[in-house]
Amino acid sequence: MIQRAAATVALGAVALLLAGCASAATGANEGGEGAEQLGSTGAGGFEAALAAVPGPGAGPADIAFADYAAARAALGADEAGAGVDALRLLGDELGMILPAPFGWNRAELAGEVDETIGVSLADVTAFVDWQGDVGDVLAFDAPDDAGARLTAALGEPADGVWAHGEEDGGVDLSLGEAAMRSQRIAEVDGRVVIASTGELLELVREGDVAADDEARAEAARALDEREVLAAMLNRPSLGADSSFSWVGGGVSHDGGVTRDHLVWVVAEGGDVEASAERVRENLASGATADGTPFSELLEVEDVTVSGRLIIADARPVGSAPVWSQLLYRGDLG
């Protein structure tokens, strides 16, 4: 399972960072136009985002999505006049996450990353990231001047691809944290796509993408139907119930009400109804890995079955959603 624990903690630092990054807040970032390309306020949210990361041919991977612009709008935050406060709200009230590949959840590195490749976390309005056994991919709405900035930092692209570091996707620790990772970068359908290897980038450019995985597409679609502002789909944790091929979750906020939405994808040939009953029992009387009863974290409103999917809609018991923490720790399977 992916480790994104630093992401939520870092949101306060991101807020301070973005408030001071006027040079990066260009075009789509200021107007919110980019969110129409990738975010849940536009063409399909999480499911649409699956078209920006590699497909099943690249092997299993954990995928995360977040739309900061839509989250600010849902909270009624004025992003122009109260950007710092609005971004702080994203983590506190929604459990929002940050992109993890290439250390982009390290907000303090954003300035150095920008100098190294020309773009950074400060440019992200909505993103999707993919972490697999063979490498990482991050895609986000492209600022209007992304191409010029990438060229200024990395030189002219070769066949539409900007290159940083060696082709093998390795890490050179001697270069420092912001510059040590190999990256291949291209603009694809209005997004900046950054991959750890050229092979992964070419999959996206050629249209071999995660949207082709019907199981994950169904799960993402179910979360989009709940108007999630951020979501994840992970492989089950080692030693977890093998009846599930994917576990996931997301968060919505509507009319002042925040909900956690959890999803389990039953593996091919599995007994969906029996698995759903186990999910219901676990949420009602089970506990997380650290012994905290689920009932102390979530007020479950409904657990439904749709095809191979089991979906739980719940209200967080405390002041903040717990969906992302449950996925970080592998508590859902």
Side-chain angles (χ1 to χ4, degrees):
M1 194 195 84
I2 52 178
Q3 298 299 316
R4 301 174 185 271
T8 303
V9 175
L11 270 167
V14 173
L16 296 172
L17 173 72
L18 296 186
C21 288
S23 63
T26 61
N29 287 353
E30 290 183 351
E33 184 178 343
E36 295 180 1
Q37 299 172 6
L38 187 61
S40 57
T41 55
F46 193 12
E47 184 182 7
L50 296 181
V53 292
D62 302 309
I63 302 177
F65 160 79
D67 184 342
Y68 302 139
R72 285 193 293 265
L75 292 176
D78 182 352
E79 64 179 292
V84 172
D85 291 338
L87 283 167
R88 283 178 176 150
L89 286 174
L90 301 185
D92 293 343
E93 295 199 11
L94 299 177
M96 293 289 278
I97 55 179
L98 298 176
F102 313 112
W104 281 38
N105 53 10
R106 296 283 307 281
E108 68 274 16
L109 295 179
E112 297 173 43
V113 170
D114 186 82
E115 290 180 9
T116 301
I117 63 173
V119 292
S120 75
L121 177 63
D123 296 299
V124 175
T125 306
F127 79 87
V128 57
D129 72 45
W130 182 99
Q131 295 187 72
D133 296 336
V134 296
D136 301 317
V137 176
L138 167 64
F140 58 94
D141 301 333
D144 291 343
D145 61 348
R149 289 163 58 187
L150 287 162
T151 297
L154 298 172
E156 292 292 336
D159 297 324
V161 176
W162 289 273
H164 171 258
E166 299 299 325
E167 174 61 24
D168 64 3
V171 173
D172 185 345
L173 298 176
S174 69
L175 296 177
E177 288 188 80
M180 66 185 180
R181 297 171 179 86
S182 298
Q183 297 163 15
R184 295 296 180 269
I185 308 170
E187 286 195 75
V188 183
D189 296 332
R191 300 168 182 136
V192 174
V193 180
I194 305 176
S196 56
T197 68
E199 289 83 358
L200 289 173
L201 181 59
E202 283 309 303
L203 289 177
V204 177
R205 296 180 79 194
E206 294 169 2
D208 183 354
V209 293
D212 299 332
D213 181 346
E214 187 56 32
R216 281 186 288 188
E218 286 180 18
R221 192 178 310 134
L223 291 169
D224 281 334
E225 289 171 355
R226 288 154 172 80
E227 299 185 351
V228 294
L229 303 168
M232 289 190 283
L233 282 173
N234 297 350
R235 294 166 283 184
S237 302
L238 292 176
D241 186 342
S242 61
S243 62
F244 301 124
S245 57
W246 304 101
V247 296
V251 62
S252 66
H253 184 87
D254 183 50
V257 177
T258 299
R259 285 184 172 86
D260 290 329
H261 307 282
L262 310 176
V263 61
W264 294 259
V265 182
V266 178
E268 187 174 353
D271 187 328
V272 179
E273 291 296 340
S275 296
E277 188 57 33
R278 288 198 299 274
V279 166
R280 293 186 181 97
E281 291 176 0
N282 195 37
L283 292 176
S285 57
T288 66
D290 67 2
T292 303
F294 283 107
S295 60
E296 293 183 7
L297 301 173
L298 294 167
E299 180 184 332
V300 177
E301 298 177 327
D302 199 10
V303 177
T304 58
V305 172
S306 176
R308 76 186 98 180
L309 305 182
I310 301 165
I311 308 157
D313 302 306
R315 295 278 299 274
V317 171
S319 60
V322 297
W323 70 277
S324 51
Q325 284 74 22
L326 294 174
L327 282 161
Y328 296 150
R329 298 189 304 242
D331 288 324
L332 300 184

